[in-house]
Amino acid sequence: MASGRADFSLSGPSHLKTIDWSNEHHRRSIAASLVQGVYVLERDRQKNKQGLQASWAPPWWESFNFQLKHSLIDDVDESVFGAIYEFNSPSEPPNAPNYVIAFRGTLNTPPSISRDLKLDLLCICHRLHESSRFKLAMKFVGDIAQAYGPNIWLSGHSLGSAMALLAGKNMTTKGFSIEAYLFNPPFLSTPVEIFRHPVLKTGIRFTSSVVKAALTIAIKGRNPKPGKEDPFTALSSWIPHLFVNPNDLLCSEYKGYFEHRKKMEEIGAGRIERLSTKNSIVCLLAPKMTSEPLHLLPSAHLTINLSPCLDFRTAHGIQQWWDPNFNAKVELHQFNKSFDSN
């Protein structure tokens, strides 16, 4: 991230002069800016900039009436991986959060890249929940939710979105439905979306669904245990905001994941897909795994960036999400758990 991208006046959403907290573009832009603030905080730390007055970071939150309450510091490499922001405005606009907890993604600079890549690997292996960084993040999320109630946001980009997603899932199981803004969240499965031919993509996904449904019945049985709601269905009321770019191989499969579920319902194969979508082949064949893959999501507000993208770096970047010329398709996908009882 060059200094130009760190400078809010040059690359931030400075066009947002008056904030409408009911406007989805404004909410998305602010959530992404707060994540950018974490990136800039860590870059400043690496450059030994002393104090916020010497930093590029404050405009990324102060422009929207937030103040930095706490920087989240990794216990291994002492990098800044997250931040807790408090909304501080003389008025109390509806729909504005009291607090936002934001997490950055992987930085490709020597002071932090080693630790970040190890966490990326844990994420791929569905073991991010075992890391000390996530446990620390989860403690702060839990403390803020307990102290101030559910009017908080989680926001993250890339690896940071995986942390926010996992934290949001955990809090939902504890009775807190927290609004989440997840930018370029990694989809940790085969990226079928990379194939150009739609028939091939449909065939691969249909075959995968049938195989997973068959394995689920063989291993778990056709009917769930009475009186016990499965973890997937228990999350169905939580609807995080997912922001994906079709040209980003790390997150593009969310587009196909939700589209396929809809198609399976339309062709009368909904029962197969409802069994399939709750499970992964890896977890079915490795029952000792302590965590389901992050991408198994019952519901989501899915925003797909339709703007042309020249390269992976742009498609995976955080800056696209506050572009004033943003062009997107927004879809609501909500899992109907009543079907499970049929």
Side-chain angles (χ1 to χ4, degrees):
M1 183 173 60
S3 60
R5 278 183 285 166
D7 188 339
F8 181 87
S9 66
L10 295 178
S11 62
S14 54
H15 58 282
L16 298 182
K17 303 298 184 183
T18 303
I19 305 303
D20 178 2
W21 286 98
S22 63
N23 184 299
E24 286 300 319
H25 172 67
H26 290 196
R27 292 160 72 87
R28 180 190 69 249
S29 298
I30 292 169
S33 295
L34 296 178
V35 174
Q36 179 74 340
V38 182
Y39 277 113
V40 180
L41 278 170
E42 171 54 18
R43 286 288 195 180
D44 286 346
R45 183 195 71 87
Q46 293 178 9
K47 294 176 181 178
N48 294 315
K49 288 189 176 182
Q50 300 296 320
L52 290 179
Q53 289 185 346
S55 172
W56 290 103
W60 290 97
W61 57 81
E62 291 177 351
S63 301
F64 310 112
N65 294 316
F66 284 92
Q67 61 182 10
L68 179 65
K69 293 295 290 184
H70 194 77
S71 295
L72 306 186
I73 308 299
D74 189 276
D75 63 329
V76 175
D77 66 357
E78 298 186 342
S79 65
V80 179
F81 71 87
I84 299 173
Y85 302 103
E86 182 182 16
F87 187 62
N88 184 18
S89 173
S91 62
E92 295 184 3
N95 302 314
N98 293 331
Y99 288 87
V100 177
I101 306 172
F103 305 102
R104 67 166 175 84
T106 302
L107 276 171
N108 60 353
T109 49
S112 58
I113 191 170
S114 176
R115 173 66 167 160
D116 286 352
L117 288 177
K118 288 177 182 177
L119 291 166
D120 288 336
L121 182 60
L122 285 178
C123 190
I124 293 170
C125 298
H126 312 303
R127 293 175 53 201
L128 184 61
H129 62 289
E130 298 176 3
S131 68
S132 59
R133 179 182 290 187
F134 175 74
K135 290 176 181 177
L136 179 61
M138 193 66 232
K139 178 185 182 302
F140 279 104
V141 172
D143 289 348
I144 292 288
Q146 290 285 352
Y148 301 103
N151 190 25
I152 63 175
W153 289 3
L154 295 173
S155 185
H157 174 245
S158 192
L159 173 62
S161 70
M163 293 185 63
L165 176 55
L166 184 53
K169 282 186 171 186
N170 286 353
M171 293 306 296
T172 301
T173 63
K174 297 177 181 180
F176 293 91
S177 184
I178 298 177
E179 195 160 344
Y181 291 80
L182 311 173
F183 301 98
N184 303 85
F187 192 99
L188 304 171
S189 186
T190 307
V192 181
E193 197 64 25
I194 64 174
F195 298 109
R196 298 292 182 183
H197 203 292
V199 175
L200 177 60
K201 289 194 287 189
T202 300
I204 293 173
R205 291 187 176 120
F206 183 84
T207 302
S208 175
S209 292
V210 171
V211 169
K212 284 193 288 183
L215 281 173
T216 300
I217 292 172
I219 295 171
K220 296 184 177 181
R222 184 178 296 273
N223 299 310
K225 295 180 181 179
K228 184 177 181 181
E229 188 175 40
D230 68 87
F232 185 91
T233 303
L235 290 171
S236 59
S237 62
W238 183 55
I239 311 178
H241 297 262
L242 272 59
F243 301 92
V244 304
N245 190 310
N247 296 303
D248 177 5
L249 297 182
L250 295 180
C251 70
S252 62
E253 188 57 25
Y254 273 111
K255 176 176 177 287
Y257 173 76
F258 285 109
E259 284 180 352
H260 176 65
R261 277 170 39 175
K262 184 178 179 181
K263 286 180 182 177
M264 292 291 278
E265 291 287 347
E266 291 172 349
I267 66 174
R271 186 176 292 274
I272 291 174
E273 184 57 24
R274 285 191 292 277
L275 276 175
S276 169
T277 198
K278 296 179 182 181
N279 299 280
S280 71
I281 291 177
V282 171
C283 289
L284 287 169
L285 299 179
K288 292 184 179 180
M289 284 188 64
T290 58
S291 179
E292 287 282 355
L294 278 174
H295 64 263
L296 296 184
L297 267 178
S299 307
H301 289 284
L302 181 67
T303 298
I304 303 166
N305 189 348
L306 301 179
S307 302
C309 220
L310 298 177
D311 52 38
F312 169 78
R313 184 176 182 180
T314 303
H316 191 67
I318 187 75
Q319 295 83 6
Q320 64 185 300
W321 303 113
W322 61 71
D323 187 337
N325 300 313
F326 186 72
N327 178 30
K329 178 182 180 182
V330 181
E331 304 169 342
L332 171 62
H333 297 274
Q334 191 158 14
F335 186 79
N336 192 339
K337 62 182 180 181
S338 65
F339 287 155
D340 280 4
S341 59
N342 296 338

